[in-house]
Amino acid sequence: MALSLARGPLPAFPAAVRTTGIAAQVRRAGGAQGTAAWHSLRALALCAAGVAKARRRSVRFCCGTVQAEQAEKLVPGLRLWPGFLSEAEGEQLAQFLDTKEPSWTKEQFGVPTLYRVKHFGILGSLRPRVVRLPDPEKGEVDMPAEGIMAEVAQRLGQPGLPWSKVLKGFQPNEANVNAYSQASSRLLLHWDDRGLYEEPVCSVTVQGDCVMTFRLGGRSNLKAPEAGDGTDEAPTVRVRVPPLSLLVLRGAARYEWQHGIPETEDFLSERRTAIIFRRVRGADQAKARQAEGLLSGAERPHLKAMVISTNWPDPEVSAAGRVTSGRLRVLRRLAGEERGPSHSHPRPGLGTLKGSCQRQMM
Ligand SMILES: O=C(O)CCC(=O)C(=O)O
Ligand SMILES: [Fe+2]
């Protein structure tokens, strides 16, 4: 394990943040566009401030893999508990996931994933922005009320356990299962969308072993680092996530550090399966709307997501205009490599709000 003390340059932010002249111009422009642009600038400034603060707290970055205790110190808000599941529970869960509905897919939010996925519970989507209950007619499955999945979900919020003070009665309303294969899977660095999900993100490793990478800051979700773009100098912590463990991300680990398993070599076993438990925001309203709909016999209602999807530090600020088509291109290329030639060739360059998808997982 190689740990060095280093103070790298801040990741590059658009000149707009540093150039007060531009901010002033935007203000003067007025109108809806001017206001939106001003909010975007403010979000950028807040993001830069958040990164700077996190850097003051932890200026180390490392190349090797650190132990869990060290990772917890370097990445505030990261917690890892080995032995969250027993071996028998891991096997039981793996069998449940392999044999029971819903079926596996290789797509999420309309974007190809480089691993198999299945989903239980509330569905939150970013394009279109809706929060809705699972629809059995579409093969969608709710969070199981009994059995091994239910037991494990319930254990997260149970009092008197090592993680209870951290998770404070956490009750997930969705579980997303990622099944990775060492031969072809990757999980590009990303933040879980802060508008769609509440704070805690809990990953329970059902089987398999990996090294997860945490990288401070960054400008956009799921961006493959490019030579010279500064992201390779950002503080980086790599930690082994053992089988049967519980990984919790809150605070800076959730909002300031991206996480991922970006290289196939980071998978230390042929297969790895993890269940990611979260709470989708707006689920209660979705339930209420559905109850109303059922009473009146109306079509199954969808609740528009009430929150703006953003990973910037200020949750009130829209992430409109974020650069995302580049990421989509990387994804499609990677997925295409695995499945043969891709049919779509998105335009290179900047994305727009229409093309924006904040939490595409690869
Ligand atoms: O595989 C994991 O443990 C984490 C997956 C993840 O970060 C995600 O699906 O958002
Ligand atoms: Fe994630």
Side-chain angles (χ1 to χ4, degrees), residues 207-218:
Q207 58 178 6
D209 215 344
C210 78
V211 171
M212 196 172 281
T213 298
F214 290 84
R215 183 162 296 165
L216 182 58

Side-chain angles (χ1 to χ4, degrees), residues 115 178 180 187-193 197 201 203 212 222 249 254 258-260 276 278 359 361:
Y115 46 81
N178 294 355
Y180 306 93
L187 177 77
L188 295 192
L189 292 175
H190 66 281
W191 294 277
D192 289 27
D193 192 90
Y197 307 109
V201 171
S203 170
M212 196 172 281
L222 300 173
L249 305 182
R254 165 85 167 87
Q258 300 199 42
H259 59 277
I276 298 88
R278 289 172 290 226
R359 185 179 176 277
M361 296 139 300

Side-chain angles (χ1 to χ4, degrees), residues 106 113-116 179-187 261-265 267 269-271 334-335 337-339 362:
K106 277 200 96 176
T113 55
L114 299 174
Y115 46 81
R116 293 183 304 148
Y180 306 93
S181 94
Q182 195 178 33
S184 59
S185 293
R186 301 156 191 241
L187 177 77
I261 314 168
E263 306 294 338
T264 47
E265 302 87 76
F267 291 98
S269 53
E270 210 171 298
R271 312 207 74 79
L334 291 171
E337 272 167 14
E338 202 188 323
R339 291 174 202 168
M362 351 319 31

